[in-house]
Amino acid sequence: MFKWKEEYKTGNTLVDEQHKKLFAIGDSAYELLKNDGYLDKYDKIVDTIQELKDYTVYHFRAEEEYMLKSGFKGFFAHKVEHDDFIEKFENIDYSRIDDGQNEYILGILNFIADWITQHIIVKDQQHSHK
Ligand SMILES: [Fe+2]
């Protein structure tokens, strides 16, 4: 579903490799959505969120370190965007997962899609080509 493309490259190999991991998490969330073999996906959904959260914190930290090292002027604006993504994890209401498990997975997929289209494709291009 989420297909990595050459045009997503930022010019920083480490950042690019980490971005690919986000695509992989997105793919496994999509597989989970399509899989009708589970009667209850709750645990898998929680696992996916946890993996995504750990990845997000780890990746943003690495990206921020790189931006600081390279003296990127837009650092603070970029960090604010990262913090907004991380904040979304703080507000997760796990009790709502069972309102509609597949819809909940769709929400996760939307989150990843937003990240890719609004952040990776636009913002991450700015700090890495220097
Ligand atoms: Fe970023």
Side-chain angles (χ1 to χ4, degrees):
M1 177 185 185
F2 293 111
K3 216 172 162 335
W4 172 262
K5 294 182 191 144
E6 284 294 304
E7 64 201 75
Y8 299 160
K9 273 192 176 171
T10 62
N12 179 307
T13 320
L14 183 74
V15 168
D16 289 341
E17 284 312 308
Q18 291 182 3
H19 280 163
K20 284 179 189 166
K21 172 73 181 160
L22 176 67
F23 283 70
I25 297 173
D27 269 345
S28 63
Y30 184 57
E31 289 306 313
L32 182 60
L33 175 71
K34 286 192 304 181
N35 193 323
D36 296 325
Y38 296 112
L39 284 176
D40 184 1
K41 297 180 180 177
Y42 184 90
D43 289 344
K44 297 265 177 208
I45 293 173
V46 172
D47 286 352
T48 303
I49 294 170
Q50 200 54 50
E51 189 187 11
L52 192 56
K53 183 181 176 182
D54 290 348
Y55 164 79
T56 303
V57 171
Y58 169 78
H59 167 62
F60 284 163
R61 209 170 281 159
E63 223 182 65
E64 286 161 15
E65 221 169 88
Y66 169 76
M67 284 190 285
L68 277 179
K69 248 189 243 163
S70 62
F72 173 59
K73 288 194 178 64
F75 173 79
F76 286 105
H78 198 107
K79 189 179 184 325
V80 166
E81 289 214 7
H82 286 176
D83 291 346
D84 282 348
F85 276 106
I86 290 174
E87 206 184 292
K88 292 192 176 135
F89 288 99
E90 315 294 322
N91 300 324
I92 288 177
D93 181 358
Y94 289 92
S95 70
R96 296 204 47 210
I97 293 177
D98 282 336
D99 290 352
Q101 294 189 343
N102 279 342
E103 269 158 40
Y104 205 93
I105 301 172
L106 274 174
I108 296 174
L109 290 170
N110 261 328
F111 171 84
I112 296 175
D114 277 356
W115 181 345
I116 293 170
T117 54
Q118 291 168 30
H119 193 80
I120 292 183
I121 295 179
V122 185
K123 305 289 163 111
D124 286 341
Q125 302 296 327
Q126 299 168 354
H127 65 70
S128 302
H129 276 303
K130 330 254 132 63

